[in-house]
Amino acid sequence: MKVAILTGGGDCGGLNAVIKSIVWKGIKEYNYEFVGFLDGWKGALENNHRELTINDVIDILPEGGTMLGSSRTNPFSAGNNPEDVEKTMEEENIDALIAIGGDDTLGAANKLYQRGVNIVGVPKTMDNDLECTDMTFGFMSAVQAATDHLDRLKTTARSHHRVIVYEVFGRYSGWTALYAGWAGDADVILVPEKTYSIEDVCACLEKRRQRGKDYAIVVVAEGATTTEMDEMMAEDEETDEFGHVMLGGVGEYLADEIEERLDWETRYIQPRHIVRGGTPTAYDRILSSRYGLAAIDCVKNKDFGKMAALKGQEIEIVDLANAVADTKTVPVELFEKAEIFFG
Ligand code: F6P
């Protein structure tokens, strides 16, 4: 049995741990052969691959990024032909493909599965926005990085009596903003799932000022809007092959409004990829490893069109089609628990 692996979309902590886990168990227990497609679907379309042996993966578990490279290439976008993926698999005698990615990569994987390709998915993304799993790997590493930033920002905000607005990745869901903001003890958190007005944000900050606190932290998800805005803010109008614009800018807008309305010096921080890059947390290393073990077992059991998922403390196997059917957003009840601490 020959198995291919690819990593697609934005990188995150834990990708190498999944790769090690798949290759390790696949070779040691099942005697499979492995190749890795380079740069996500691009490598699968262009037949650009490398062999993967035990020695190639032996030390990679703690490393950030992905040894296979990644891209936002979409096999179904104009100019690409999904048949080329099938052709590559035929040419290289590959029996099954494990796609490690978020909703875009796994959405394409599901479409290929429906065309007859033997595919298994592993849920990756710092955004934690995939359905059918309690958590994607990469999420907790991003949350930890953002929380560390907030701890640092708090001391400088306090020294300079400032408000600091921190805008974090997360696309159309507020998971990363909510978890980091809550863990980092932010004074207000804005997420796409619940819309505040600028007046609401200022009222929270003013309440804090009245408590004698002359510094504050605001965390805002890149996809959050205020009631004054018509739509999510984007850096420009260009879209990637999956049709996404690059979000960003809402934090700067908020910072300007806060400074003007409250006459309170305000700074804006946009850490972007600094939150996503770097080594995975211990939690993500183990979660990723467990996902990899489950994925190679799916291949062994010929359980295709499936995705490894976390349900409570257990790894379960779910339908890929259900996982990519929708975006997993923050439940309002959970957000309201964090909201108690605002202001
Ligand atoms: O999907 C993961 C993510 O990190 C989003 O949170 C963010 O909007 C996007 O990727 C950034 O994409 P890129 O790395 O292509 O700039």
Side-chain angles (χ1 to χ4, degrees), residues 72 126-127 169-171 222 246 273 276:
R72 296 203 183 273
M126 64 154 281
D127 301 342
F169 273 173
R171 223 162 236 166
E222 62 175 355
M246 193 192 283
H273 302 83
R276 208 174 73 190

Side-chain angles (χ1 to χ4, degrees), residues 86 135 137 148 177 181 203 219 222 226 297 313 327:
E86 292 150 6
M135 207 172 282
F137 77 84
D148 292 345
V219 174
E222 62 175 355
T226 66
D297 282 348
Q313 296 298 316
T327 300

Side-chain angles (χ1 to χ4, degrees), residues 9-12 72 102-104 124-127 129 168-173 176 222 240 244-248 272-273 276:
D11 73 332
C12 68
R72 296 203 183 273
D103 52 352
D104 293 335
K124 166 240 65 164
T125 167
M126 64 154 281
D127 301 342
D129 59 353
V168 67
F169 273 173
R171 223 162 236 166
Y172 317 119
S173 74
T176 315
E222 62 175 355
D240 66 18
H244 305 295
V245 288
M246 193 192 283
L247 294 173
R272 300 181 64 86
H273 302 83
R276 208 174 73 190

Side-chain angles (χ1 to χ4, degrees), residues 172-179 189-196 219-225 330 335:
Y172 317 119
S173 74
W175 288 102
T176 315
L178 175 67
Y179 269 59
I189 305 167
L190 283 98
V191 295
E193 291 85 349
K194 183 156 181 186
T195 310
Y196 276 34
V219 174
V220 55
E222 62 175 355
T225 54
V330 172
F335 183 77

Side-chain angles (χ1 to χ4, degrees), residues 23-96:
V23 173
W24 196 272
K25 184 165 187 187
I27 293 177
K28 283 184 82 174
E29 290 203 9
Y30 304 138
N31 207 21
Y32 291 168
E33 264 181 84
F34 286 92
V35 294
F37 287 133
L38 304 184
D39 299 335
W41 291 115
K42 189 167 189 290
L45 287 163
E46 296 171 2
N47 194 359
N48 191 10
H49 68 270
R50 57 166 287 177
E51 194 191 344
L52 289 171
T53 64
I54 289 268
N55 263 20
D56 292 321
V57 301
I58 196 160
D59 288 329
I60 65 170
L61 184 146
E63 287 173 11
T66 161
M67 70 173 290
L68 295 176
S70 193
S71 71
R72 296 203 183 273
T73 301
N74 179 357
F76 292 89
S77 71
N80 288 331
N81 187 348
E83 272 175 30
D84 288 340
V85 175
E86 292 150 6
K87 215 171 100 204
T88 299
M89 290 186 60
E90 235 175 75
E91 270 169 21
E92 300 302 325
N93 295 315
I94 294 167
D95 305 290

Side-chain angles (χ1 to χ4, degrees), residues 12-23:
C12 68
L15 282 159
N16 285 323
V18 179
I19 296 169
K20 172 170 179 173
S21 172
I22 293 169
V23 173

Side-chain angles (χ1 to χ4, degrees), residues 280-337:
T281 55
Y283 179 87
D284 265 338
R285 294 177 197 197
I286 292 170
L287 180 63
S288 307
S289 242
R290 292 177 76 197
Y291 277 152
L293 296 176
I296 194 62
D297 282 348
C298 280
V299 171
K300 170 80 180 155
N301 300 331
K302 299 198 173 11
D303 215 0
F304 298 117
K306 304 287 181 184
M307 183 185 85
L310 181 72
K311 295 282 173 84
Q313 296 298 316
E314 302 304 321
I315 303 292
E316 293 184 7
I317 304 305
V318 299
D319 285 337
L320 202 43
N322 294 337
V324 297
D326 223 338
T327 300
K328 184 179 73 183
T329 52
V330 172
V332 174
E333 316 79 66
L334 180 64
F335 183 77
E336 285 173 353
K337 293 209 161 61

